[in-house]
Amino acid sequence: MLVVSNVVFLQLIFSVLHKKVFLITPPFTQLNTPYPATAYIKGFLNTKNISSKQADLGIEVIIALFSKTGLQDLFAYIDGRELELSDNAARIIALQDDYIRSIDSVIAFLQGKNPTLALQICQDNYLPEAKRFQQLSDLEWAFGEMGTQDKAKHLATLFLEDISDLIVECVDSNFGFSRYAERLGQSANSFDELYDELQKPLTYVDQITIKVLKKHIELVNPELFLISVPFPGNLYSAFRCAQWVKQNYPAIKVSMGGGFPNTELRSLKDVRVFEFLDFITLDDGEVPIEELLENIDNEGREIYKRTFLLENNQVVYKNNSAKADYKQSQLGTPDYDDLALDKYISVIEIVNPMHRMWSDGRWNKLTMAHGCYWGKCTFCDISLDYIKIYEPLTAAIICDRIEELIEKTGQNGFHFVDEAAPPALMRAMAIEILKRGISVTWWANIRFEKSFTADLCKLLKASGCIAVSGGLEVASDRLLELIKKGVTVSQVAQVTANFTDAGIMVHAYLMYGFPTQTIQETVDSLEMVRQLFEIGVIQSGFWHQFAMTAHSPVGMFPDEYNVIADTNEITFANNDVQFTDKSGIDHEQFSFGLRKSLFNFMHGICFEYPLQDWFEFKIPRSTIPHDFIANAIEEGNSREVKGSAKLVYIGGKPTISNFTKSKKGKSWEMSSLTFHAKKESYSIQTAQDEGKWILEILPQLSVKNSKLLTFQDLQKNYEESGLENFELFWQSRAVQKIRENGLLIL
């Protein structure tokens, strides 16, 4: 009887644990937050009542490696090898007991579980120090502006990076915290090198990855194993995971999707890929996955949506499904269940407050819209559906998902990962957030377009926006026009000033080496960037050298951009295209100087250095006036109001008191209105009839109203109330004070 009970019990456990679908993100992406692709698919599967489980193998492998047991095994492995060690590696190995002793406490601190350790980390002689700590002498000044917790995070990050350096030197040269064997996935027109690598024995990191994967597969026992590959740095591990599943669980169907296949594998021909995979799906994954599941349930059914597979020993692409892709509103809320949200670690690699956001803090990832509302930039893959097909959500649906994710994850931080978040939708979302009274912290990717007025930036800030990132690209009006960015440098300066004045941090993506770019334009771009940082309207940035992609206008029509594409036979990946710039300029020579200068600008120093000091070769003088950015910002301070502009009041309700004002024998009935803002209170004085009208109209302008009044509506209401000279009233000191403290024109 006991045996039967145990069997029944095990069957019950199996029925609970068995999932139809298992989704993973292979190592490595981010340490501080999960990449959202699997959460999006799981959210969709929930709407179809399809059972699924997900895992981020990246963070699980990192936690296994960077633990007391993990380091003990690591040092034992290194001790068993005959290696010629650098001084740095020798030092770390000599201090291995200190690393082993402190690692669990440091990881717990970076997970937010052991905050009191910050005091000890900030004291000398707690953490063992190797090469990474040598930069501290250059950054010691910055710690005065950092709290103890942040300083400790930065020191703990250096501690982990020292261990990472040891792994790269002595164990696995492909290791990296946010990528693994990235080189094998970059510009891999042929599968040869990656295939050869996969025939070798498992690396040390591979063994840990497979050990983690094995536990999940045994527990879940899925019918369909989905691997999301967002970046080249995930590709090698993705194939390793697929390889192990195919060798050990051949009945499980294995499919790959995600950002890398969507952009790189559209020209796939190599049959060897399907020694590891059964399917590769492209673009939006919901319908392709749904069709795969129906095929699994119905033997002999062969209906596919945007799917590569092997048929008669040939790679074929099938798209014979009649199902249309789902609307964004039908996909459900991303579901982060199963992911070890308490295991992610927040690190601070650089003390710049904006730059650190990519690695510090837990962010729920969401999108406001599918695709890009602009969709014109010539360096971008605008021919692909993930950018070309633009479909926004409504503000109500976005806020529904925000509230649901806050409830499920316990986190109120959100990163909107749109190609470029639409300003009108950002405005609507901000109003909806304020209307619902949601406490949220968020940031987004944007275009620096003129829609971001000073008042819109104030509204976004009030709703919880703390930062934006956007592409300035090449700070040259000629090149911005060639790129079809739709902005000018002056406009970018004005918009970044609006964000900064509102208290929203700004990160700029910067580009050099765009086709036809001259040396003079590169130097002038650097001067523009220097001025933007010196004035303080940009807080963070990143230079990258232009890369030509196969699906961008430059890649598709290289002759129009004065470049010659180097064409290779494509049997595997096809995205980055090698090319020759007909100008003959060596743009690579600017790389170090541009990045070194930017590193210093982000720390608020070295603005007075001549641009020549950043380069070891002769450069021309900049032709940009020293006050170009300052003048551009000043010229953008126009306050002209259109009659159709919407008005929103986000301040508090005032109290009113009346009094009589006398001067030279004449008396006026006056009102004093007192407003209580979060930091301070202020008062205004007006004629009594105007004061009464202000008290009545402000609630009608409240963000909580379903219909917003226009500027024209306001003027009409003013005049219908028997008041005169609206223009004079609007320009009065009292109204300007209210405008400065919450009366916004959108």
Side-chain angles (χ1 to χ4, degrees):
M1 185 67 182
L2 181 61
V3 173
V4 173
S5 298
N6 284 341
V7 169
V8 171
F9 177 73
L10 289 173
Q11 288 176 337
L12 177 62
I13 291 295
F14 176 79
S15 67
V16 172
L17 296 180
H18 171 70
K19 303 292 184 182
K20 196 175 189 71
V21 181
F22 179 43
L23 312 98
I24 69 161
T25 305
F28 294 106
T29 48
Q30 288 179 266
L31 295 175
N32 62 312
T33 198
Y35 193 78
T38 61
Y40 270 77
I41 294 298
K42 183 175 174 64
F44 165 73
L45 293 175
N46 290 345
T47 69
K48 300 295 179 179
N49 295 316
I50 296 171
S51 61
S52 65
K53 193 176 190 305
Q54 64 182 329
D56 178 357
L57 298 196
I59 192 61
E60 294 189 41
V61 170
I62 288 292
I63 294 303
L65 182 55
F66 288 82
S67 64
K68 184 175 183 178
T69 301
L71 288 193
Q72 286 172 337
D73 292 343
L74 177 70
F75 284 114
Y77 177 79
I78 293 172
D79 288 344
R81 308 183 73 194
E82 294 184 5
L83 300 168
E84 290 188 15
L85 300 174
S86 67
D87 291 343
N88 187 58
R91 173 174 173 76
I92 296 172
I93 291 170
L95 293 169
Q96 61 182 273
D97 289 344
D98 295 294
Y99 283 97
I100 292 168
R101 175 182 57 82
S102 52
I103 186 64
D104 283 348
S105 296
V106 169
I107 291 295
F109 166 71
L110 292 174
Q111 290 170 335
K113 301 173 184 175
N114 190 14
T116 57
L117 189 68
L119 297 170
Q120 205 167 358
I121 290 175
C122 290
Q123 295 174 355
D124 290 338
N125 212 33
Y126 176 73
L127 294 178
E129 299 180 6
K131 186 177 180 180
R132 294 287 182 145
F133 283 79
Q134 292 175 7
Q135 64 185 279
L136 282 179
S137 58
D138 297 328
L139 297 178
E140 193 64 39
W141 61 270
F143 290 143
E145 300 176 8
M146 298 175 73
T148 300
Q149 292 289 319
D150 284 349
K151 179 179 178 180
K153 273 187 186 180
H154 184 58
L155 295 174
T157 302
L158 299 179
F159 167 79
L160 296 184
E161 288 176 337
D162 274 335
I163 301 172
S164 174
D165 289 343
L166 178 72
I167 295 170
V168 171
E169 179 180 339
C170 300
V171 177
D172 191 337
S173 60
N174 287 320
F175 180 77
F177 280 119
S178 58
R179 59 188 62 85
Y180 186 68
E182 183 177 45
R183 176 187 58 81
L184 295 173
Q186 291 179 319
S187 305
N189 296 154
S190 168
F191 191 49
D192 289 347
E193 188 176 4
L194 179 54
Y195 186 80
D196 290 344
E197 203 69 25
L198 292 166
Q199 307 312 306
K200 297 177 182 178
L202 297 178
T203 68
Y204 187 85
V205 175
D206 288 341
Q207 292 176 43
I208 299 175
T209 301
I210 297 305
K211 184 178 180 180
V212 172
L213 176 64
K214 183 174 184 288
K215 289 182 180 178
H216 283 296
I217 292 293
E218 290 176 347
L219 182 66
V220 179
N221 188 29
E223 295 175 54
L224 179 62
F225 178 39
L226 298 177
I227 307 174
S228 176
V229 184
F231 309 115
N234 302 96
L235 186 67
Y236 169 81
S237 287
F239 272 97
R240 274 299 194 197
C241 292
Q243 181 184 50
W244 182 86
V245 169
K246 295 305 290 181
Q247 290 172 349
N248 294 275
Y249 292 85
I252 297 175
K253 296 297 183 182
V254 181
S255 181
M256 177 188 290
F260 182 86
N262 291 348
T263 55
E264 305 258 2
L265 299 185
R266 308 184 82 89
S267 304
L268 181 65
K269 297 176 183 175
D270 198 316
V271 297
R272 294 175 298 174
V273 170
F274 293 93
E275 294 176 20
F276 308 86
L277 304 166
D278 294 292
F279 312 105
I280 292 177
T281 63
L282 300 182
D283 301 327
D284 294 348
E286 291 81 14
V287 175
I289 291 169
E290 190 175 29
E291 294 289 27
L292 292 182
L293 288 169
E294 289 193 31
N295 291 343
I296 290 171
D297 287 343
N298 299 279
E299 188 175 351
R301 183 183 188 271
E302 295 187 359
I303 297 177
Y304 299 93
K305 185 82 168 180
R306 296 188 299 269
T307 301
F308 283 108
L309 62 150
L310 198 63
E311 195 172 82
N312 299 321
N313 203 35
Q314 294 288 321
V315 177
V316 296
Y317 177 73
K318 290 199 171 183
N319 192 24
N320 58 345
S321 170
K323 290 184 182 178
D325 285 306
Y326 289 93
K327 298 292 185 183
Q328 296 300 296
S329 58
Q330 300 172 307
L331 299 182
T333 302
D335 186 348
Y336 287 87
D337 281 356
D338 309 324
L339 297 176
L341 299 181
D342 61 334
K343 301 294 185 184
Y344 288 89
I345 60 178
S346 289
V347 296
I348 299 180
E349 300 163 285
I350 183 170
V351 297
N352 178 280
M354 172 70 205
H355 207 77
R356 61 185 273 190
M357 291 179 62
W358 278 269
S359 60
D360 185 24
R362 251 282 294 125
W363 304 100
N364 294 316
K365 307 273 188 174
L366 276 179
T367 51
M368 298 183 198
H370 180 287
C372 179
Y373 73 96
W374 179 248
K376 297 178 183 178
C377 298
T378 57
F379 62 84
C380 187
D381 293 337
I382 59 175
S383 66
L384 298 183
D385 285 352
Y386 82 93
I387 292 177
K388 182 172 62 177
I389 299 176
Y390 174 65
E391 183 194 342
L393 290 167
T394 65
I397 290 175
I398 295 170
C399 288
D400 287 345
R401 292 179 179 179
I402 286 173
E403 290 183 314
E404 188 175 341
L405 282 172
I406 290 175
E407 182 179 353
K408 285 186 174 181
T409 68
Q411 302 287 338
N412 73 339
F414 288 82
H415 179 197
F416 290 94
V417 293
D418 300 67
E419 299 298 317
L425 186 50
M426 291 175 73
R427 180 184 73 177
M429 183 188 77
I431 290 172
E432 187 71 14
I433 287 172
L434 293 169
K435 188 180 294 185
R436 297 191 189 191
I438 307 172
S439 177
V440 63
T441 301
W442 63 274
W443 57 300
N445 306 326
I446 63 159
R447 287 180 61 247
F448 293 120
E449 63 164 76
K450 60 184 179 182
S451 302
F452 290 108
T453 62
D455 280 8
L456 176 55
C457 292
K458 290 177 183 177
L459 176 73
L460 300 178
K461 175 66 175 177
S463 72
C465 180
I466 59 168
V468 294
S469 58
L472 169 55
E473 317 307 351
V474 181
S476 156
D477 285 344
R478 182 189 76 83
L479 289 167
L480 286 171
E481 185 176 355
L482 186 62
I483 289 172
K484 296 186 179 178
K485 193 69 183 177
V487 300
T488 64
V489 177
S490 295
Q491 184 179 311
V492 170
Q494 293 158 13
V495 168
T496 54
N498 290 340
F499 278 114
T500 300
D501 290 346
I504 296 172
M505 295 184 290
V506 179
H507 173 89
Y509 296 106
L510 306 164
M511 183 191 297
Y512 63 101
F514 191 81
T516 76
Q517 183 171 0
T518 65
I519 291 175
Q520 185 67 62
E521 285 172 326
T522 300
V523 172
D524 288 349
S525 289
L526 176 56
E527 172 58 19
M528 296 278 204
V529 170
R530 187 197 68 78
Q531 291 185 30
L532 287 164
F533 273 96
E534 184 176 31
I535 290 175
V537 295
I538 287 179
Q539 291 75 46
S540 172
F542 181 78
W543 284 107
H544 69 275
Q545 189 170 349
F546 167 75
M548 191 164 83
T549 61
H551 311 291
S552 69
V554 180
M556 292 188 292
F557 312 105
D559 289 344
E560 296 180 14
Y561 297 88
N562 208 35
V563 296
I564 301 171
D566 299 336
T567 55
N568 298 315
E569 183 185 3
I570 307 298
T571 58
F572 185 56
N574 180 28
N575 191 42
D576 287 357
V577 179
Q578 300 301 311
F579 67 94
T580 302
D581 190 330
K582 291 181 182 179
S583 70
I585 296 173
D586 177 15
H587 296 290
E588 176 64 30
Q589 66 181 330
F590 289 96
S591 177
F592 181 76
L594 291 174
R595 291 174 183 174
K596 182 179 180 182
S597 61
L598 187 65
F599 180 82
N600 284 277
F601 297 162
M602 284 196 295
H603 287 90
I605 57 176
C606 300
F607 298 120
E608 73 282 4
Y609 281 30
L611 299 187
Q612 179 63 67
D613 287 4
W614 301 115
F615 303 96
E616 296 180 353
F617 54 91
K618 186 69 175 176
I619 62 169
R621 289 181 176 273
S622 172
T623 64
I624 305 301
H626 72 279
D627 56 355
F628 179 87
I629 296 298
N631 289 339
I633 293 171
E634 185 63 32
E635 290 169 5
N637 288 335
S638 169
R639 284 206 168 191
E640 182 182 350
V641 183
K642 294 181 179 179
S644 59
K646 304 285 188 181
L647 276 74
V648 172
Y649 179 63
I650 58 174
K653 184 178 179 180
T655 57
I656 188 169
S657 60
N658 299 320
F659 65 96
T660 302
K661 184 176 182 179
S662 301
K663 187 177 182 180
K664 294 183 180 181
K666 295 183 178 180
S667 298
W668 300 270
E669 296 302 315
M670 301 287 291
S671 291
S672 176
L673 283 77
T674 300
F675 296 77
H676 297 284
K678 289 180 181 178
K679 286 190 174 182
E680 57 186 8
S681 302
Y682 68 95
S683 298
I684 61 170
Q685 293 183 357
T686 68
Q688 197 170 105
D689 52 355
E690 288 180 343
K692 180 182 177 183
W693 179 81
I694 291 172
L695 199 66
E696 292 173 350
I697 199 67
L698 284 181
Q700 297 180 49
L701 300 174
S702 169
V703 73
K704 295 186 180 297
N705 282 347
S706 57
K707 183 180 179 182
L708 300 179
L709 296 182
T710 65
F711 183 71
Q712 209 168 21
D713 294 334
L714 185 73
Q715 183 173 358
K716 183 179 178 182
N717 187 293
Y718 180 90
E719 292 168 349
E720 288 179 348
S721 299
L723 301 172
E724 299 178 351
N725 206 334
F726 176 79
E727 289 186 9
L728 186 63
F729 167 73
W730 183 253
Q731 298 298 328
S732 68
R733 184 180 301 177
V735 171
Q736 296 310 307
K737 191 72 174 177
I738 298 174
R739 284 203 59 189
E740 291 169 6
N741 290 274
L743 178 56
L744 307 178
I745 301 172
L746 306 173

